[in-house]
Amino acid sequence: MNFRWLGPVALLAVLFIGDQIRIYRPGHKYRVILEVETPEGLKTGSGVLSVHPDRGYSRHGHTTTRGDAVFVDLGGGKNLVALMAHLDGTIDLDGMNYLALRAYKAAGRNVSFNEMSRMTGTVPVTGALIPVLVTFADVRNPTTIRTAASDAMASEFGNGFRLRDIHVEVVPNGLWPLDFGGPLGEPVTRGIAAKLPWLNGAENSSTIAMQAAGLPMTDTLDAREAFTRK
């Protein structure tokens, strides 16, 4: 049997796999951390997102972010969710692509997009950089959503509630796509569908939620991407 073709085929396979990793590997990952003071003490929630620049050959794509909205259990049936969206006239989904970059710049770190993976330390997320915050009276029902102002937690949840801080920190890309945790690197955080079970229900459930919150949307908006992105 002639095995001379095995070497070239193996080389082509290695080159193809390597190129796919180059194209799809995150440019950087960052963790979003929410801290809320409550009568029961400090409550926190966090999630790791990955940012993927367009490295394909068509150059027709754009930078994308993968991950889930951040859910904070405030106790007593109360909750706070930081959506993967900003409000700029209408819902803006692309702001999450540059949230960490803009937060580091606002903190005085003069960094470019391509340098983000080398950043260390946490920086605050303030003002217009704060993602849309919402809460659900019943996490099983998307129509019970309402927006929550970052500077008015007490009026939303009661005395003793205050948003202490939102900050971000870049985390290592790890050995992507084998970033399963530990020394391999932190994977993108998943789990919002378990917290908001209606996400796995009707196809338009995310749109129903956004409309119930009174958030302005364009006709082309995929409302589900405010909650989770693959």
Side-chain angles (χ1 to χ4, degrees), residues 201-230:
E203 186 174 341
N204 65 339
S205 58
S206 299
T207 300
I208 291 172
M210 300 292 270
Q211 290 174 339
L215 294 169
M217 300 185 297
T218 62
D219 293 337
T220 59
L221 178 77
D222 183 354
R224 184 177 174 83
E225 291 196 347
F227 296 92
T228 182
R229 302 186 204 171
K230 301 300 185 184

mmCIF file of all heavy atoms in Angstrom, residues 201-230:
data_model
loop_
_atom_site.group_PDB
_atom_site.id
_atom_site.type_symbol
_atom_site.label_atom_id
_atom_site.label_comp_id
_atom_site.label_asym_id
_atom_site.label_seq_id
_atom_site.Cartn_x
_atom_site.Cartn_y
_atom_site.Cartn_z
ATOM 1 N N GLY A 201 -38.249 28.796 25.241
ATOM 2 C CA GLY A 201 -39.636 28.591 24.852
ATOM 3 C C GLY A 201 -39.918 29.120 23.466
ATOM 4 O O GLY A 201 -39.193 28.832 22.517
ATOM 5 N N ALA A 202 -40.963 29.921 23.362
ATOM 6 C CA ALA A 202 -41.381 30.454 22.062
ATOM 7 C C ALA A 202 -40.247 31.245 21.418
ATOM 8 O O ALA A 202 -39.468 31.931 22.087
ATOM 9 C CB ALA A 202 -42.612 31.339 22.227
ATOM 10 N N GLU A 203 -40.172 31.166 20.107
ATOM 11 C CA GLU A 203 -39.087 31.803 19.367
ATOM 12 C C GLU A 203 -39.072 33.314 19.552
ATOM 13 O O GLU A 203 -38.017 33.938 19.523
ATOM 14 C CB GLU A 203 -39.212 31.456 17.882
ATOM 15 C CG GLU A 203 -38.052 31.946 17.041
ATOM 16 C CD GLU A 203 -38.131 31.476 15.604
ATOM 17 O OE1 GLU A 203 -38.856 30.500 15.340
ATOM 18 O OE2 GLU A 203 -37.480 32.091 14.742
ATOM 19 N N ASN A 204 -40.246 33.910 19.756
ATOM 20 C CA ASN A 204 -40.326 35.369 19.884
ATOM 21 C C ASN A 204 -40.349 35.824 21.338
ATOM 22 O O ASN A 204 -40.684 36.968 21.622
ATOM 23 C CB ASN A 204 -41.558 35.900 19.165
ATOM 24 C CG ASN A 204 -42.859 35.421 19.802
ATOM 25 O OD1 ASN A 204 -42.869 34.419 20.523
ATOM 26 N ND2 ASN A 204 -43.948 36.123 19.544
ATOM 27 N N SER A 205 -39.984 34.932 22.272
ATOM 28 C CA SER A 205 -40.072 35.290 23.696
ATOM 29 C C SER A 205 -39.147 36.456 24.049
ATOM 30 O O SER A 205 -39.493 37.297 24.875
ATOM 31 C CB SER A 205 -39.747 34.077 24.571
ATOM 32 O OG SER A 205 -38.455 33.565 24.283
ATOM 33 N N SER A 206 -37.972 36.511 23.425
ATOM 34 C CA SER A 206 -37.046 37.616 23.709
ATOM 35 C C SER A 206 -37.611 38.937 23.219
ATOM 36 O O SER A 206 -37.482 39.968 23.888
ATOM 37 C CB SER A 206 -35.690 37.345 23.058
ATOM 38 O OG SER A 206 -35.107 36.173 23.563
ATOM 39 N N THR A 207 -38.241 38.924 22.050
ATOM 40 C CA THR A 207 -38.881 40.137 21.532
ATOM 41 C C THR A 207 -40.008 40.578 22.449
ATOM 42 O O THR A 207 -40.163 41.777 22.728
ATOM 43 C CB THR A 207 -39.428 39.886 20.112
ATOM 44 O OG1 THR A 207 -38.338 39.530 19.259
ATOM 45 C CG2 THR A 207 -40.111 41.117 19.565
ATOM 46 N N ILE A 208 -40.779 39.633 22.936
ATOM 47 C CA ILE A 208 -41.866 39.946 23.876
ATOM 48 C C ILE A 208 -41.312 40.615 25.119
ATOM 49 O O ILE A 208 -41.864 41.599 25.617
ATOM 50 C CB ILE A 208 -42.637 38.661 24.241
ATOM 51 C CG1 ILE A 208 -43.430 38.154 23.036
ATOM 52 C CG2 ILE A 208 -43.563 38.897 25.429
ATOM 53 C CD1 ILE A 208 -44.054 36.792 23.245
ATOM 54 N N ALA A 209 -40.185 40.092 25.625
ATOM 55 C CA ALA A 209 -39.573 40.675 26.825
ATOM 56 C C ALA A 209 -39.119 42.104 26.571
ATOM 57 O O ALA A 209 -39.385 43.014 27.368
ATOM 58 C CB ALA A 209 -38.403 39.811 27.279
ATOM 59 N N MET A 210 -38.444 42.335 25.451
ATOM 60 C CA MET A 210 -37.933 43.676 25.156
ATOM 61 C C MET A 210 -39.069 44.668 24.965
ATOM 62 O O MET A 210 -38.985 45.823 25.408
ATOM 63 C CB MET A 210 -37.056 43.629 23.908
ATOM 64 C CG MET A 210 -35.852 42.700 24.029
ATOM 65 S SD MET A 210 -34.615 43.268 25.198
ATOM 66 C CE MET A 210 -33.600 44.249 24.112
ATOM 67 N N GLN A 211 -40.127 44.220 24.330
ATOM 68 C CA GLN A 211 -41.291 45.094 24.142
ATOM 69 C C GLN A 211 -41.957 45.388 25.475
ATOM 70 O O GLN A 211 -42.384 46.522 25.729
ATOM 71 C CB GLN A 211 -42.266 44.452 23.174
ATOM 72 C CG GLN A 211 -41.765 44.407 21.738
ATOM 73 C CD GLN A 211 -42.675 43.629 20.816
ATOM 74 O OE1 GLN A 211 -43.478 42.796 21.265
ATOM 75 N NE2 GLN A 211 -42.577 43.867 19.516
ATOM 76 N N ALA A 212 -42.048 44.388 26.347
ATOM 77 C CA ALA A 212 -42.665 44.584 27.667
ATOM 78 C C ALA A 212 -41.858 45.565 28.507
ATOM 79 O O ALA A 212 -42.420 46.297 29.337
ATOM 80 C CB ALA A 212 -42.794 43.240 28.384
ATOM 81 N N ALA A 213 -40.545 45.605 28.289
ATOM 82 C CA ALA A 213 -39.689 46.540 29.023
ATOM 83 C C ALA A 213 -39.748 47.945 28.447
ATOM 84 O O ALA A 213 -39.205 48.882 29.038
ATOM 85 C CB ALA A 213 -38.248 46.041 29.017
ATOM 86 N N GLY A 214 -40.388 48.091 27.280
ATOM 87 C CA GLY A 214 -40.466 49.396 26.639
ATOM 88 C C GLY A 214 -39.171 49.821 25.998
ATOM 89 O O GLY A 214 -38.934 51.019 25.798
ATOM 90 N N LEU A 215 -38.324 48.845 25.628
ATOM 91 C CA LEU A 215 -37.042 49.170 25.019
ATOM 92 C C LEU A 215 -37.207 49.307 23.510
ATOM 93 O O LEU A 215 -37.746 48.403 22.865
ATOM 94 C CB LEU A 215 -36.020 48.074 25.344
ATOM 95 C CG LEU A 215 -35.644 47.971 26.822
ATOM 96 C CD1 LEU A 215 -34.843 46.703 27.093
ATOM 97 C CD2 LEU A 215 -34.849 49.209 27.252
ATOM 98 N N PRO A 216 -36.767 50.410 22.925
ATOM 99 C CA PRO A 216 -36.954 50.636 21.483
ATOM 100 C C PRO A 216 -36.071 49.712 20.659
ATOM 101 O O PRO A 216 -34.878 49.575 20.922
ATOM 102 C CB PRO A 216 -36.551 52.102 21.301
ATOM 103 C CG PRO A 216 -35.597 52.371 22.425
ATOM 104 C CD PRO A 216 -36.054 51.530 23.581
ATOM 105 N N MET A 217 -36.675 49.084 19.641
ATOM 106 C CA MET A 217 -35.945 48.140 18.806
ATOM 107 C C MET A 217 -36.153 48.474 17.335
ATOM 108 O O MET A 217 -37.165 49.042 16.953
ATOM 109 C CB MET A 217 -36.425 46.707 19.067
ATOM 110 C CG MET A 217 -36.250 46.222 20.491
ATOM 111 S SD MET A 217 -36.725 44.477 20.632
ATOM 112 C CE MET A 217 -38.467 44.565 20.209
ATOM 113 N N THR A 218 -35.182 48.078 16.531
ATOM 114 C CA THR A 218 -35.344 48.171 15.081
ATOM 115 C C THR A 218 -35.956 46.866 14.575
ATOM 116 O O THR A 218 -35.938 45.844 15.268
ATOM 117 C CB THR A 218 -33.991 48.404 14.394
ATOM 118 O OG1 THR A 218 -33.140 47.275 14.661
ATOM 119 C CG2 THR A 218 -33.332 49.673 14.922
ATOM 120 N N ASP A 219 -36.459 46.906 13.362
ATOM 121 C CA ASP A 219 -37.090 45.713 12.793
ATOM 122 C C ASP A 219 -36.103 44.579 12.568
ATOM 123 O O ASP A 219 -36.488 43.401 12.556
ATOM 124 C CB ASP A 219 -37.770 46.064 11.461
ATOM 125 C CG ASP A 219 -38.955 47.005 11.637
ATOM 126 O OD1 ASP A 219 -39.514 47.035 12.752
ATOM 127 O OD2 ASP A 219 -39.314 47.707 10.664
ATOM 128 N N THR A 220 -34.836 44.911 12.407
ATOM 129 C CA THR A 220 -33.833 43.894 12.111
ATOM 130 C C THR A 220 -33.146 43.345 13.361
ATOM 131 O O THR A 220 -32.308 42.446 13.266
ATOM 132 C CB THR A 220 -32.758 44.463 11.172
ATOM 133 O OG1 THR A 220 -32.148 45.606 11.800
ATOM 134 C CG2 THR A 220 -33.370 44.886 9.837
ATOM 135 N N LEU A 221 -33.487 43.853 14.522
ATOM 136 C CA LEU A 221 -32.829 43.435 15.762
ATOM 137 C C LEU A 221 -33.206 42.002 16.129
ATOM 138 O O LEU A 221 -34.387 41.644 16.133
ATOM 139 C CB LEU A 221 -33.215 44.373 16.905
ATOM 140 C CG LEU A 221 -32.617 44.019 18.270
ATOM 141 C CD1 LEU A 221 -31.160 44.442 18.333
ATOM 142 C CD2 LEU A 221 -33.406 44.668 19.401
ATOM 143 N N ASP A 222 -32.225 41.200 16.450
ATOM 144 C CA ASP A 222 -32.462 39.873 17.013
ATOM 145 C C ASP A 222 -32.455 40.023 18.526
ATOM 146 O O ASP A 222 -31.402 40.054 19.162
ATOM 147 C CB ASP A 222 -31.376 38.896 16.554
ATOM 148 C CG ASP A 222 -31.623 37.477 17.064
ATOM 149 O OD1 ASP A 222 -32.557 37.271 17.855
ATOM 150 O OD2 ASP A 222 -30.858 36.577 16.668
ATOM 151 N N ALA A 223 -33.640 40.126 19.114
ATOM 152 C CA ALA A 223 -33.753 40.433 20.539
ATOM 153 C C ALA A 223 -33.088 39.381 21.413
ATOM 154 O O ALA A 223 -32.615 39.687 22.514
ATOM 155 C CB ALA A 223 -35.228 40.573 20.918
ATOM 156 N N ARG A 224 -33.022 38.154 20.970
ATOM 157 C CA ARG A 224 -32.405 37.093 21.766
ATOM 158 C C ARG A 224 -30.938 37.393 22.048
ATOM 159 O O ARG A 224 -30.393 36.993 23.084
ATOM 160 C CB ARG A 224 -32.554 35.747 21.048
ATOM 161 C CG ARG A 224 -32.034 34.557 21.842
ATOM 162 C CD ARG A 224 -32.269 33.233 21.123
ATOM 163 N NE ARG A 224 -31.642 32.127 21.821
ATOM 164 C CZ ARG A 224 -32.169 31.486 22.846
ATOM 165 N NH1 ARG A 224 -33.363 31.833 23.293
ATOM 166 N NH2 ARG A 224 -31.530 30.486 23.436
ATOM 167 N N GLU A 225 -30.286 38.128 21.139
ATOM 168 C CA GLU A 225 -28.872 38.436 21.323
ATOM 169 C C GLU A 225 -28.617 39.406 22.465
ATOM 170 O O GLU A 225 -27.466 39.607 22.857
ATOM 171 C CB GLU A 225 -28.272 38.974 20.020
ATOM 172 C CG GLU A 225 -28.171 37.920 18.933
ATOM 173 C CD GLU A 225 -27.247 38.335 17.821
ATOM 174 O OE1 GLU A 225 -26.871 39.521 17.751
ATOM 175 O OE2 GLU A 225 -26.902 37.461 17.008
ATOM 176 N N ALA A 226 -29.656 40.017 22.985
ATOM 177 C CA ALA A 226 -29.502 40.833 24.188
ATOM 178 C C ALA A 226 -29.323 39.951 25.425
ATOM 179 O O ALA A 226 -28.830 40.421 26.459
ATOM 180 C CB ALA A 226 -30.688 41.753 24.374
ATOM 181 N N PHE A 227 -29.717 38.673 25.320
ATOM 182 C CA PHE A 227 -29.656 37.744 26.437
ATOM 183 C C PHE A 227 -28.561 36.690 26.274
ATOM 184 O O PHE A 227 -27.930 36.315 27.243
ATOM 185 C CB PHE A 227 -31.003 37.043 26.613
ATOM 186 C CG PHE A 227 -32.128 37.960 26.969
ATOM 187 C CD1 PHE A 227 -32.932 38.522 25.985
ATOM 188 C CD2 PHE A 227 -32.381 38.285 28.297
ATOM 189 C CE1 PHE A 227 -33.967 39.375 26.310
ATOM 190 C CE2 PHE A 227 -33.418 39.154 28.625
ATOM 191 C CZ PHE A 227 -34.219 39.703 27.628
ATOM 192 N N THR A 228 -28.356 36.227 25.059
ATOM 193 C CA THR A 228 -27.349 35.193 24.838
ATOM 194 C C THR A 228 -26.908 35.221 23.384
ATOM 195 O O THR A 228 -27.694 35.489 22.475
ATOM 196 C CB THR A 228 -27.922 33.803 25.179
ATOM 197 O OG1 THR A 228 -26.886 32.809 25.001
ATOM 198 C CG2 THR A 228 -29.139 33.440 24.350
ATOM 199 N N ARG A 229 -25.596 34.930 23.184
ATOM 200 C CA ARG A 229 -25.027 34.884 21.824
ATOM 201 C C ARG A 229 -24.072 33.700 21.729
ATOM 202 O O ARG A 229 -23.213 33.532 22.581
ATOM 203 C CB ARG A 229 -24.283 36.175 21.477
ATOM 204 C CG ARG A 229 -25.139 37.413 21.564
ATOM 205 C CD ARG A 229 -24.405 38.635 21.083
ATOM 206 N NE ARG A 229 -24.965 39.837 21.673
ATOM 207 C CZ ARG A 229 -24.425 41.050 21.566
ATOM 208 N NH1 ARG A 229 -23.326 41.214 20.845
ATOM 209 N NH2 ARG A 229 -24.982 42.087 22.151
ATOM 210 N N LYS A 230 -24.274 32.923 20.706
ATOM 211 C CA LYS A 230 -23.439 31.736 20.487
ATOM 212 C C LYS A 230 -22.180 32.106 19.704
ATOM 213 O O LYS A 230 -22.152 33.061 18.972
ATOM 214 C CB LYS A 230 -24.236 30.669 19.736
ATOM 215 C CG LYS A 230 -25.490 30.234 20.481
ATOM 216 C CD LYS A 230 -25.202 29.650 21.839
ATOM 217 C CE LYS A 230 -26.444 29.123 22.519
ATOM 218 N NZ LYS A 230 -26.186 28.648 23.887
#
